[in-house]
Every structure is written in structure tokens, then in C-alpha cells.
Amino acid sequence: MTLVENPFFVLGLSPDASRIEIEREAQKLLGMLELGFEAALTYTTPLGSRERTPEAVRAAVAALRDPYQRLLAELWARHAPASLDEAPPPPAAASSGLRKRLGWRP
Amino acid sequence: MFALPYIAFIRLHRAALDARRRVRTWQYYAYSVAAGLLAGLLVGFALFASYYMVLAGVWYLAAIIIAFFVVPPLQPVLQRHVLVPLGAVRTSFWIAHFVSMKDSDAFALCCAAWAHAGKPTGAGEAWIIERRDKRRPLGDAEIVVTAFLAAGRGDAATCRDLLRSLDLIVENHPNVREVAGEWLAVDAADRGAWGEIAASAAVARYPASALTFLIEGIAAARTGGAGAPGAGELRARWLLAPHRRVTLGLLPVDVAAEIPVRPAASEPPAETPPERPPLPRAVAAHLHLANRAANATGLALTVQAWDAALSDPATRDWLARRALELDAPLGAADRALRDVASDVTDELARLAEAAGLGAPPAHGLVGDALARRLRHGRLDALEAAFTRWAARRHDGAVRAPIDEWREFCALRTAYDAAATAGGLELRRLAFPHAYSTGNSMAVWLWNTRSEYALSHAISRWLLAEALTVGDAEAIDLCSRNCKLSVPTRTGTVKG
């Protein structure tokens, strides 16, 4: 189970949500997705926004109906930070163009 | 009769250049000045003679004199400033024949490939490949030619790897090595790897061209290495080197005051606040590692964090309590710990493999599993690759010598990467299989394919590895193999 596909993030719910809340939220999201509501098209994870699909919503609610799967999902969702600071891109060993200026390619 | 002094001057000019390739001391400047003066005299005399030939109306003799007596001393200048920018492959090839006596095709092909890299064309590449493939057995020139062909295709990494692999090849054309060394020095300067240049210069890995000598001086000044040239000496090197306008910008303003440039420190590890409980800290460290370029420190911190979190009584209590509240099946808490450890190990192993990192020295649910996973995965991949390589002796698949060399270089790179990541323990486990297959291939290449330099290179590499892991039997056999006399185009080399 990857963190970005965690059922709680997909449904946009807290790990404390009850079974009824989960079912209700899933139905609401499926309806919004069917009607193409922009607010329902993405969900937030600590690693940034991801696309929400009806399949992902159905898979999430199915996972949370299973007590063991819910335990695993809770372990990750409850202890994950809200968001990560945007990391700067790793320094690339880019060419300075010196090679070409000294008559060598590429 | 009148040509005799001229021929003597030509021999002196070549002798000065050859002598320069062997030194990196004050004599380098003396030989450079001598070679320059002799070249000036040769060109002056020949131009003077051809002028009188034109006045006498025999212009065709003037053309012959220029072709045979002016062009050879000017070959290095013509090659660098005219033929390479024009991409004149065939002209480079033929003119380079004038400047080397023994196995002149070797340097000529390198000059042709250099010109091709300057302005690549399909026809030029095909022409060079055809001539290269006719040369058997494989030697240093064929490897340099192949490297420059890769450079012509824009593949600097392959060019770099091939040129670096010359270290193992016993055949030695000094002028070929000089060109190879210059490409590597310029490439390292281009990447800002001044420490790499200084290390190579310290062991005089390649004969130094004037440009290489200058770059090495700049590298020594920048890294603050021992024997770094002073400002005056650096200026002298700059004067001798080509492309002065470009290299002027590389010279330190004040060599004495130049601050050593250290290699950039790796990204600081994703530290998490110490007041966090173990499990949130582990999840945060994991996300940081997955979200950035993984490095050894970050991986070690993440593994430690997970090991601490999964063995923390608070984590176990929380899992047990939640499993009860959720009405999860019996043993769900223990199973969840194992599953999380397994998922985390999978993810960390994937990140470590991608970044070529070794297993950190951590012991716990994640640390132990990760070490096992990485070691087994790398050993399996290495063994499979070496087995495939050795199997070709029996399946009759004969490849061109340069392809044999490239395959060996790829295997060596994979072995080195695995050994670097896995440490001496993995090296000891991987060596026996690499030794048995590598030794079989070396024998086959020597006896059946007559690829002496290639076979000798494999034996040298195996000997170095055997010494590292302390395998007495392998040391004995590889030492004997390395002592064999290797026939090359530059003469038989005693191992």
C-alpha cells in the first residue's frame, strides 16, 4: 500500500472517521465525480495532489471495510506529516560548455 | 644531400615531443620550447625553399615541399584548429600518418575519429568503423576511436567509460593516450571535477598535452594539492596551451590565495525534529527519502528510524489497541508489523538500487531485511551477467573485439557498483564467480581469439580484485597470467 494511494487520503477523511462517515463520503465523491465536479477530481497527500478516479474511491472504501486493511491504512495516514516542504531538485552534473569551447564534443 | 639536415631536424622535433610525453617537470617546458623552435625552423626552411621553387616556375615542387615538409610539423595545430572544426575525417587520417612512424594507423585513426566527433556524418563514421574493424587484435587505439565515435553521437558517458578503461590495456601508443587524456581532462574540467583531474595528474595516468598540462595545473591550484604550480608557472603553461582565450578565464586570479574547491557536500539528511515519537519520525524520514534524491545518509537515517519505530513498545501497543477496537482478526497487530516492515523494505530496496546505495549498518526488522535483499539481489544480477558472458564461449556467438571489450567494461562497472554499495563482504561473495568466468574468458580470448591485450586486461582486473579480497589461489593464477608476454603492435610487452 503506497502512501499516495492510502484510502484515507483518497476519500479525504481523517483516520478517526467512522464506517458510516466513510460510506457516506464515498457515495458523495462518486456522485461528484460522475457529474464532473472540479473539487472532486483531485485529493491531497503529503507528497502533493493526485488525481481521484471512481475506481480509486471504490477501492478505498472496499479496503476500509476490511478491519486489517484499515489498521494498515490508519498506521500510515495517522502518522504521516501533513505535507513535505518542496525539496529543491538534486544538483545535476550539468555540462558547463567548456568541453565544446575547448574544441571537444559533445 | 640537402634533405639530410632537414630530416635530422624532423627527427629532433619528434624526439622532443616524445620526450615531453614522459615528463611533467621543468623539462616539459624545455622540450616544448625545443619542439616549437624546431617546428618553426622546419616550416621556415620549407616555405623559403618552396618560394624559390615558385619563382623558378616549378610550382608543383613547391606544393610537394609544402605537403611533405610544412604540413607534418604543423599537424597538431592543423588538426585542432582546422581539421576538427571542418570534420575532415580522411584528411586528418592521412596527415596524421606523417607524425608517427610505428603503427601510424593507430594515431591516424584517432585523429580521424576526433575530426568526426567535431562534425559527425554517417559516411565518416562508417569509413572509420571499417578501418577500425580491420585492425586485429584490439588495442588502445581501437578503444579511443570507439570512444570518440560515441562522443560524435553525443554520448559523453560512454566516451568517458571507454577512455577510462584504457588503464587496463597494456598496448601503449603515447600519442593516442595523450589525446585520450586530454579529452578526459577537458571533460572533468567541464563537469567541475577538479579533484578527479588532480588525482589523475598525481599518478601521471596519461601523457600530458599542453592543454592537459594546463588543466592539471589549474586543478592542483584549485584543490590545493601538493606540488601545485605557482602563478608564474601556471602562466607559462597557459602560454603553451591552445585556446588561450577560453583558458584565460579558468586561471585563478591569485593562485596563492585561491581557496581550495571542495566537492559539493551531499544533500543534508532529512532530519526530523527529535521530539517526534518514533513512528511519525520514521514515516516522515521515509517520505523525505522517497521525495528527494536518495543518499547514503538519508537511507541510513530512514532505516534506523523504522527499526526504532517498529521495535518501539508504543507502536506495538497502539497497533494492538486499534486491532481490538476495529475487531481485526487475531494476531493482526503482529502481522501488520511484519507487513509494514516488508513494504518499507521493498520501497527502500528499490530506492537504494536506483541510487546504487549499500545497505546501512542497522539491525532490526527493516535493517536486516534490507541488507539481505540488497546483497542477494546484487549477487544474483552479477552472477547472471557473468554467466551469460561466459556462456558465449560455448554457444559460438563471436563478437567483434571492441564489443567483447565493451561487454567486459559493462560487467566491471556493474561489479564495481555492487561492490561499492555492498562493501568488502559482498565483494568476497561475488568474486569467486567473477573469477571463474572471467578467467575462462581470458583464456578463450588469448588462445582462440588471439586477443592478447584484451585477455591480459581481464587478468589484470581479476588480479587486482583477488588481492582486494585476499584469494590466494586466484592471486597465484592471475599473477602468472599477468606475467605472460603480450604481443602488441608497439612490441611485445612483458607483463
Side-chain angles (χ1 to χ4, degrees):
Chain A
M1 180 187 300
T2 64
L3 197 73
V4 291
E5 291 164 357
N6 188 293
F8 288 107
F9 295 140
V10 172
L11 298 177
L13 287 172
S14 142
D16 296 321
S18 66
R19 287 183 190 180
I20 293 169
E21 282 174 314
I22 290 166
E23 297 290 343
R24 200 178 291 152
E25 188 65 19
Q27 290 307 318
K28 189 181 94 184
L29 285 170
L30 286 171
M32 288 169 79
L33 284 168
E34 199 170 334
L35 294 171
F37 276 37
E38 201 171 320
L41 295 178
T42 57
Y43 62 94
T44 307
T45 78
L47 295 172
S49 293
R50 295 290 188 274
E51 188 189 359
R52 183 186 277 133
T53 61
E55 292 75 29
V57 173
R58 287 191 194 102
V61 79
L64 293 182
R65 280 178 197 141
D66 177 348
Y68 179 71
Q69 293 296 325
R70 174 163 180 165
L71 181 67
L72 285 181
E74 270 193 39
L75 186 143
W76 284 97
R78 195 179 288 277
H79 301 103
S83 70
L84 287 179
D85 295 333
E86 278 299 314
S95 166
S96 64
L98 182 66
R99 200 165 47 206
K100 196 172 176 184
R101 285 186 285 137
L102 289 175
W104 288 98
R105 296 283 182 84
Chain B
M1 180 66 187
F2 290 109
L4 282 177
Y6 196 88
I7 290 169
F9 269 88
I10 286 182
R11 298 303 292 265
L12 275 173
H13 177 242
R14 282 184 192 163
L17 287 175
D18 287 343
R20 194 181 77 162
R21 291 191 179 107
R22 289 191 290 269
V23 293
R24 274 178 165 80
T25 58
W26 64 269
Q27 292 164 309
Y28 190 96
Y29 305 102
Y31 287 128
S32 297
V33 171
L37 284 175
L38 286 164
L41 284 172
L42 287 166
V43 172
F45 285 146
L47 284 176
F48 188 69
S50 49
Y51 174 68
Y52 275 95
M53 294 293 173
V54 171
L55 288 184
V58 279
W59 60 267
Y60 50 89
L61 276 180
I64 290 171
I65 287 173
I66 288 174
F68 283 91
F69 298 106
V70 175
V71 170
L74 293 181
Q75 187 273 343
V77 180
L78 288 173
Q79 174 69 23
R80 188 182 297 277
H81 296 294
V82 180
L83 302 176
V84 170
L86 289 175
V89 169
R90 294 177 198 215
T91 315
S92 293
F93 178 78
W94 293 115
I95 288 180
H97 273 91
F98 286 116
V99 295
S100 52
M101 301 288 281
K102 203 171 187 179
D103 191 23
S104 57
D105 263 5
F107 183 58
L109 263 178
C110 288
C111 288
W114 180 4
H116 168 78
K119 204 172 182 181
T121 61
E125 182 166 345
W127 189 84
I128 294 166
I129 288 173
E130 189 189 340
R131 286 192 168 265
R132 180 201 65 189
D133 290 348
K134 279 181 188 163
R135 286 170 58 83
R136 299 280 173 97
L138 185 89
D140 57 352
E142 291 71 50
I143 295 172
V144 173
V145 167
T146 310
F148 287 169
L149 291 178
R153 287 191 292 270
D155 186 357
T158 300
C159 181
R160 191 179 305 127
D161 290 345
L162 281 170
L163 293 181
R164 282 177 180 165
S165 75
L166 288 174
D167 281 353
L168 288 173
I169 295 288
V170 75
E171 187 179 78
N172 187 350
H173 293 87
N175 43 11
V176 168
R177 301 267 175 158
E178 184 181 87
V179 177
E182 184 177 309
W183 192 94
L184 286 171
V186 170
D187 169 64
D190 182 58
R191 292 181 284 115
W194 298 103
E196 192 181 300
I197 302 169
S200 175
V203 293
R205 196 165 281 151
Y206 301 97
S209 70
L211 183 56
T212 309
F213 200 42
L214 169 66
I215 292 173
E216 286 177 357
I218 295 169
R222 284 182 178 241
T223 54
E233 192 180 343
L234 214 46
R235 286 275 164 184
R237 292 190 189 192
W238 173 76
L239 272 174
L240 290 176
H243 300 292
R244 285 183 206 94
R245 203 174 298 167
V246 178
T247 52
L248 183 64
L250 296 176
L251 290 178
V253 179
D254 180 0
V255 174
E258 184 70 19
I259 299 163
V261 175
R262 303 254 174 251
S266 57
E267 194 181 343
E271 292 278 7
T272 48
E275 66 273 14
R276 273 186 186 173
L279 192 52
R281 196 187 311 161
V283 175
H286 190 103
L287 289 176
H288 274 284
L289 188 78
N291 204 33
R292 300 176 187 200
N295 57 34
T297 318
L299 181 67
L301 283 175
T302 308
V303 171
Q304 280 170 13
W306 273 116
D307 282 341
L310 296 182
S311 61
D312 184 33
T315 306
R316 291 172 180 270
D317 289 349
W318 178 84
L319 274 170
R321 197 182 66 247
R322 278 306 287 160
L324 207 63
E325 287 166 2
L326 292 168
D327 202 17
L330 203 64
D334 289 339
R335 190 178 144 205
L337 274 178
R338 284 196 304 274
D339 283 355
V340 169
S342 169
D343 286 351
V344 166
T345 305
D346 285 347
E347 174 81 2
L348 294 181
R350 191 181 58 74
L351 293 170
E353 287 288 359
L357 301 174
H363 298 287
L365 268 176
V366 173
D368 289 337
L370 184 65
R372 271 198 307 276
R373 181 81 52 89
L374 288 177
R375 189 167 59 226
H376 291 168
R378 282 174 179 148
L379 274 176
D380 289 350
L382 268 183
E383 288 200 4
F386 273 97
T387 304
R388 270 198 308 276
W389 183 43
R392 288 199 301 93
R393 278 186 313 131
H394 307 296
D395 63 16
V398 173
R399 291 188 183 168
I402 188 65
D403 293 332
E404 294 284 3
W405 180 247
R406 292 183 71 167
E407 186 168 6
F408 167 67
C409 288
L411 280 172
R412 191 177 66 137
T413 306
Y415 181 95
D416 286 346
T420 306
L424 191 60
E425 189 190 352
L426 187 137
R427 208 171 202 130
R428 286 206 176 101
L429 289 170
F431 179 71
H433 190 68
Y435 166 65
S436 64
T437 52
N439 200 47
S440 304
M441 286 303 279
V443 171
W444 178 66
L445 287 165
W446 186 287
N447 292 336
T448 311
R449 304 280 309 274
S450 302
E451 290 293 344
Y452 305 115
L454 210 164
S455 169
H456 184 264
I458 295 170
S459 294
R460 276 179 76 178
W461 177 70
L462 289 174
L463 176 59
E465 281 303 311
L467 287 166
T468 307
V469 301
D471 187 328
E473 187 193 327
I475 291 169
D476 182 44
L477 183 64
C478 293
S479 297
R480 279 189 276 129
N481 286 344
C482 287
K483 279 180 188 157
L484 290 172
S485 295
V486 187
T488 70
R489 291 187 195 83
T490 52
T492 300
V493 179
K494 186 77 184 147

